[in-house]
Amino acid sequence: EVQLVESGGGLVQPGGSLRLSCAASGFTFSSSAMSWVRQAPGKGLEWVSSIYTYSFNTYYADYADSVKGRFTISKDNAKSTLYLHMNSLKSEDTALYYCAKGGVVRGEVRLTDYLHWGQGTQVTVSS
């Protein structure tokens, strides 16, 4: 059974940093494309970032324009854990952040775009 469990969310001031984690199990994490997707209050799902594994320790990462240069996606295959390092956080980054198994989805994200989702972790950016 595929399981994705996010953690690391919380309340942070504008300009601050957080690191989200997603513990994965039930599938071959090392070779799977993985993504972060978020949902701000009253808005739809927004793709944030994806990471692909091409070979041993060779990855490709992609980011939404809204987070490029501020967020970094990474993965630890030995721990089957996906990360999202978030710096220079803004109030508009406030959202429920989900880990999902799959790659880039540009434009409107639908629940069916990813087969497996975590339960989400809340990030609130406020002074």
Side-chain angles (χ1 to χ4, degrees), residues 17-63:
S17 300
L18 277 178
R19 187 186 76 166
L20 306 184
S21 300
C22 171
S25 62
F27 63 100
T28 306
F29 178 79
S30 58
S31 60
S32 296
M34 297 294 299
S35 297
W36 289 97
V37 178
R38 68 185 181 185
Q39 186 168 30
K43 296 188 177 181
L45 294 166
E46 178 191 17
W47 170 77
V48 175
S49 181
S50 298
I51 187 166
Y52 297 82
T53 301
Y54 284 108
S55 63
F56 181 71
N57 278 347
T58 301
Y59 306 103
Y60 169 77
D62 202 356
Y63 301 92

Side-chain angles (χ1 to χ4, degrees), residues 8-20 70-71 86-95 97 122-127:
L11 174 64
V12 62
Q13 292 187 341
S17 300
L18 277 178
R19 187 186 76 166
L20 306 184
R70 300 186 298 121
F71 290 11
M86 306 185 295
N87 297 319
S88 302
L89 283 161
K90 307 174 182 179
S91 57
E92 50 263 46
D93 294 318
T94 294
Y97 283 72
Q122 179 67 40
V123 172
T124 302
V125 184
S126 174
S127 55

Side-chain angles (χ1 to χ4, degrees), residues 84-111:
L84 186 67
H85 305 258
M86 306 185 295
N87 297 319
S88 302
L89 283 161
K90 307 174 182 179
S91 57
E92 50 263 46
D93 294 318
T94 294
L96 187 60
Y97 283 72
Y98 296 96
C99 167
K101 182 177 180 294
V104 175
V105 175
R106 300 198 188 274
E108 181 184 354
V109 176
R110 301 163 297 182
L111 285 174

